[in-house]
Amino acid sequence: MALSAPHPDAFPSVPPIDIDNPATVAAHDWAAFNAVSAMKNHWHRPGWSETTRAVYWLLTISDSAFIAHARRCQSFVRHLQFDEIAPDGFHLTLGRVGVVDMLNDEGQMEGLVATVQAKAPPAFVLTAVPLTGSRGALRYSVAPWTPILELHQVLVTASEACGLPSMAPTARLRPHIGIGYANRPLPAAVARNAVLPLRSLPPATLTIDRADLVEMWREPGAYKWRIIHSVQLQTIDAGI
């Protein structure tokens, strides 16, 4: 079964031909963003309310070089008045486990983490390519996708094994790292014109050596979370 496949709820709906080539992924993401006529308010989306607290798997990012890179990109698009992601808030979303009210069995959470840790894949290096957008955010394209999707499959299987709600399928995931959220409708061309010069910047690289299980909630213009558990990915001698 293919790791990535077309899905009507994903953006882009069709994955790139080569999910591991940074240039191919970036070009595909940009083409999809070019087809967007109007951006929407990111915060107007189902599954969230002012009181929602949900458990997610994230790749949280604390690398200082990446944060400086992302902050530089944010400074170039500040006139758009998007809700900027704070320096301690950069992340790659892997998926939702469920809402907190339905996950009150501490032993079940511990079992989930143990199951994922036992099957944890190797650490890997990501290339983050500036910059593109979606229907409601500005973001980096990232590659390769394969290690992210293989990690996601481990998470999906572990949730099922532990009797937790089904996560969204791996084939739907479109990995990316956001820098800001649209907080109102606006013509997408305005955002594209703002980020186009940033596409000449060199990419950033990130070493991914853990996945974080977090409790997430919303505050005005931002997602916040606390880490419940961290799963360490396998270390390898070469390249990491």
Side-chain angles (χ1 to χ4, degrees):
M1 181 180 296
L3 286 172
S4 191
H7 196 288
D9 295 333
F11 185 89
S13 59
V14 177
I17 294 174
D18 185 345
I19 63 173
D20 291 332
N21 182 285
T24 301
V25 172
H28 186 79
D29 284 351
W30 184 250
F33 189 36
N34 261 320
V36 174
S37 59
M39 297 187 73
K40 301 177 181 179
N41 188 331
H42 170 84
W43 306 109
H44 292 173
R45 57 194 309 183
W48 282 98
S49 71
E50 293 181 354
T51 60
T52 299
R53 298 180 83 92
V55 175
Y56 274 79
W57 285 105
L58 302 180
L59 302 179
T60 62
I61 299 170
S62 58
D63 181 89
S64 58
F66 174 82
I67 292 171
H69 196 289
R71 296 290 283 172
R72 181 182 180 188
C73 291
Q74 287 175 330
S75 71
F76 274 90
V77 298
R78 197 156 284 147
H79 62 283
L80 296 175
Q81 299 183 326
F82 280 23
D83 291 324
E84 290 184 2
I85 295 175
D88 63 351
F90 293 112
H91 63 282
L92 190 156
T93 301
L94 293 171
R96 181 189 281 210
V97 177
V99 295
V100 169
D101 291 346
M102 298 176 63
L103 304 172
N104 52 12
D105 185 337
E106 185 174 341
Q108 200 173 34
M109 288 293 96
E110 291 176 354
L112 174 64
V113 172
T115 302
V116 172
Q117 186 66 76
K119 299 291 186 179
F124 55 94
V125 174
L126 274 185
T127 298
V129 182
L131 200 65
T132 188
S134 65
R135 291 182 285 259
L138 299 179
R139 65 200 209 179
Y140 284 83
S141 300
V142 299
W145 284 13
T146 293
I148 303 172
L149 301 184
E150 289 176 344
L151 171 58
H152 189 270
Q153 286 188 318
V154 170
L155 305 180
V156 170
T157 301
S159 277
E160 293 174 353
C162 294
L164 292 162
S166 297
M167 292 179 62
T170 297
R172 177 183 172 181
L173 183 62
R174 303 291 185 260
H176 62 273
I177 301 171
I179 69 163
Y181 302 112
N183 48 30
R184 67 198 186 283
L186 79 161
V190 173
R192 280 194 293 273
N193 289 338
V195 303
L196 184 60
L198 298 173
R199 293 180 61 77
S200 64
L201 291 177
T205 57
L206 286 164
T207 298
I208 305 299
D209 58 6
R210 74 180 194 280
D212 293 318
L213 186 69
V214 308
E215 180 182 351
M216 182 183 288
W217 63 94
R218 281 183 175 183
E219 294 182 1
Y223 292 102
K224 299 291 184 180
W225 64 78
R226 68 174 184 90
I227 295 177
I228 303 171
H229 293 285
S230 292
V231 170
Q232 298 299 314
L233 304 185
Q234 297 177 37
T235 57
I236 57 177
D237 294 332
I240 299 294

